[in-house]
Amino acid sequence: MAVCCILFTIPNYSIDTAFCKMLIHKNGGNIVSDTTSSNRSSIYSNQTSHFVILIIAIITAGLSQGMLLPVLAIFLEKMGVSSTVNGLNAAALYVGSFAMTLAAERLLGVLGFKKLMLCGLLLVVITLPLFPLYPSIAFWFVLRMLVGIGDSAIHYSAQLWVLMAAPAEKRGRNLSIYGMSYGIGFSIGPLGIRLLDWGMMAPFLIMTIVFIIVTVLVWIKLPDGKPAKEEGSEPQKGRFGRSYRWAWYALIPALLYGYMEAAMNSNFPVYGLRIGLTTDAIAFLLPFIGIGGLVLQLPLGMLSDRFGRKKILMLSGSIGGLLFVLVPLVGTNIWMMAALFAIAGGLIGSFFSLGLAYAADILPKMYLPAANVLASFHFNFGSIVGPAVGGKGIEMGSASSLFWVLGGCYILFAAMGFVFREKQNKIQA
């Protein structure tokens, strides 16, 4: 049902031969495709099936991350592992994802969109069943890294297409739809805690089966292809440096979103157990952040198309940050906590997609692959730091610091918006 709702909002998008054969090059800053009018009818005839598969792949990647973080955090807490080590172990997922971003652009050029996505899916399929078979902190660290690499490969191939294909006037909406797809999976993932009633193997086996199905769908149904190399393009180092210089403020939301996502899914289960919540209550509360993001992601994206990304980012960051700061004040009141999570999650749940859309507004189109890599870099760095900082704060006896630091970061980001000026950064390619 959720996938169908997303599809009805984008009638003009397809993932097919035309997309995979897209030739990306400098032509006045525009994306040029080799699609011709003669084959356009066949493209539209199967656009829905291809796009459904892409959406399912993104949802599945979110599902694996949303399940692994809280399930393994609960295991480690019950094993008597310190909250700091628990947080550091959780960060391994994003260490793997971070490592993948270092090679993502080159791998996409060599393998193409479909093969890169298949490699990511297969890596996760092989890795997931090994978690319950070998309950070791060190081994789980390695396995989480491998899952992070796989999920990052799935995300990069899909995300770059959405970013480069979206017209400027609909960029916020389309990237919000991408974020909604991931958010659906990430919101459902924590419900895997309930599967533990059937045994330690249950959530991992079910997740493996889901990934196998998606792998088969991608392999059979999606077309193959890769972006063409740019002739005489600027060296990578120059594009990365200029992307930072021109769009540094637009790249910060990816870091903050990664920090929030990883800290909440890794540290909140520990926080909840420490203040007296049950595992069922934790499993009930965690999805509310994602649910709020799903509800507000598309409206915020459309508002940013109309009123500007920066204004929406600043407003969402300031209000969302304040709501996070208020979480410790409600104690163990589940319904108040759920309301705060839903509203705060709704406001900052679109930070990654809106930040990337804002960067695309500022930068020339030829810089977008570099900006995509940098945004992924920031997301993974935040995801690594988040569990470590949150875990250390809990271990030092201040569980509430998890939300104080998190909320403070978003409020600080909103304040930094008054300093950033973009008018000199709209460089023509």
Side-chain angles (χ1 to χ4, degrees):
M1 178 64 70
V3 175
C4 294
C5 291
I6 292 174
L7 289 175
F8 283 126
T9 64
I10 34 176
N12 297 323
Y13 266 81
S14 63
I15 304 296
D16 51 18
T17 307
F19 152 60
C20 289
K21 290 182 177 179
M22 185 181 290
L23 301 178
I24 302 172
H25 60 85
K26 286 180 64 177
N27 185 25
N30 296 319
I31 298 296
V32 179
S33 170
D34 70 346
T35 307
T36 61
S37 57
S38 61
N39 65 12
R40 195 167 292 163
S41 61
S42 64
I43 293 171
Y44 290 138
S45 65
N46 54 14
Q47 66 173 356
T48 301
S49 63
H50 289 161
F51 191 78
V52 167
I53 295 169
L54 182 70
I55 289 297
I56 291 174
I58 297 168
I59 291 173
T60 305
L63 195 63
S64 66
Q65 294 188 24
M67 184 207 74
L68 278 178
L69 289 170
V71 166
L72 295 181
I74 288 173
F75 281 158
L76 292 174
E77 175 70 8
K78 291 184 176 181
M79 289 165 58
V81 176
S82 72
S83 57
T84 300
V85 174
N86 198 329
L88 289 172
N89 197 265
L93 181 75
Y94 299 101
V95 171
S97 186
F98 188 87
M100 180 63 195
T101 60
L102 296 173
E105 191 174 7
R106 292 181 181 178
L107 286 175
L108 183 65
V110 173
L111 298 175
F113 295 96
K114 176 180 176 178
K115 288 190 176 81
L116 182 59
M117 188 177 295
L118 279 174
C119 288
L121 288 165
L122 288 171
L123 184 58
V124 179
V125 166
I126 295 170
T127 305
L128 280 176
L130 299 178
F131 279 99
L133 296 178
Y134 303 98
S136 162
I137 296 177
F139 190 60
W140 281 1
F141 188 91
V142 176
L143 293 181
R144 290 206 219 202
M145 285 184 61
L146 295 176
V147 172
I149 292 172
D151 282 343
S152 182
I154 299 168
H155 276 292
Y156 186 81
S157 54
Q159 182 177 288
L160 182 59
W161 169 70
V162 175
L163 178 65
M164 301 196 73
E169 67 275 9
K170 295 182 180 178
R171 188 173 289 138
R173 184 198 69 171
N174 294 336
L175 282 172
S176 293
I177 290 169
Y178 170 88
M180 285 172 63
S181 304
Y182 173 76
I184 288 172
F186 202 82
S187 300
I188 297 172
L191 297 178
I193 295 173
R194 297 182 182 274
L195 297 176
L196 293 174
D197 293 339
W198 297 353
M200 185 177 179
M201 289 285 296
F204 299 96
L205 288 179
I206 291 174
M207 186 66 63
T208 301
I209 292 171
V210 171
F211 265 87
I212 290 174
I213 294 172
V214 174
T215 302
V216 172
L217 285 173
V218 170
W219 180 42
I220 294 176
K221 295 294 185 179
L222 286 186
D224 203 357
K226 65 182 70 171
K229 295 181 178 179
E230 295 181 15
E231 295 295 333
S233 61
E234 188 176 359
Q236 278 189 345
K237 185 177 180 181
R239 286 186 288 130
F240 287 143
R242 286 185 171 87
S243 296
Y244 261 124
R245 194 160 64 249
W246 295 336
W248 60 268
Y249 186 73
L251 295 171
I252 294 177
L255 185 148
L256 293 177
Y257 183 75
Y259 184 102
M260 182 278 300
E261 180 187 86
M264 287 301 298
N265 280 271
S266 301
N267 299 138
F268 179 71
V270 179
Y271 171 90
L273 293 174
R274 295 284 176 94
I275 67 172
L277 296 178
T278 65
T279 55
D280 284 341
I282 294 169
F284 170 76
L285 286 168
L286 275 175
F288 275 91
I289 294 179
I291 291 170
L294 292 176
V295 172
L296 293 182
Q297 181 122 203
L298 187 57
L300 286 175
M302 296 175 72
L303 286 172
S304 76
D305 287 333
R306 182 175 180 182
F307 298 107
R309 321 284 180 217
K310 183 180 175 182
K311 292 179 181 177
I312 300 300
L313 283 168
M314 291 175 65
L315 183 64
S316 298
S318 58
I319 299 175
L322 179 61
L323 293 175
F324 274 128
V325 172
L326 296 177
V327 170
L329 301 181
V330 304
T332 57
N333 188 318
I334 294 176
W335 293 108
M336 286 293 293
M337 199 177 295
L340 289 173
F341 281 4
I343 301 172
L347 290 169
I348 54 85
S350 59
F351 252 53
F352 187 96
S353 57
L354 283 184
L356 203 52
Y358 189 27
D361 292 341
I362 298 170
L363 297 170
K365 219 156 196 177
M366 66 175 289
Y367 284 74
L368 297 189
N372 190 51
V373 170
L374 291 173
S376 298
F377 237 59
H378 284 196
F379 172 81
N380 291 313
F381 180 74
S383 301
I384 292 169
V385 172
V389 173
K392 189 64 178 178
I394 294 173
E395 184 178 322
M396 293 175 66
S398 179
S400 299
S401 65
L402 171 65
F403 294 100
W404 295 340
V405 174
L406 182 61
C409 288
Y410 279 97
I411 294 171
L412 177 61
F413 166 79
M416 291 169 66
F418 293 105
V419 178
F420 180 69
R421 296 290 181 268
E422 64 184 74
K423 61 181 180 181
Q424 294 180 344
N425 302 326
K426 298 202 174 190
I427 309 299
Q428 297 296 321

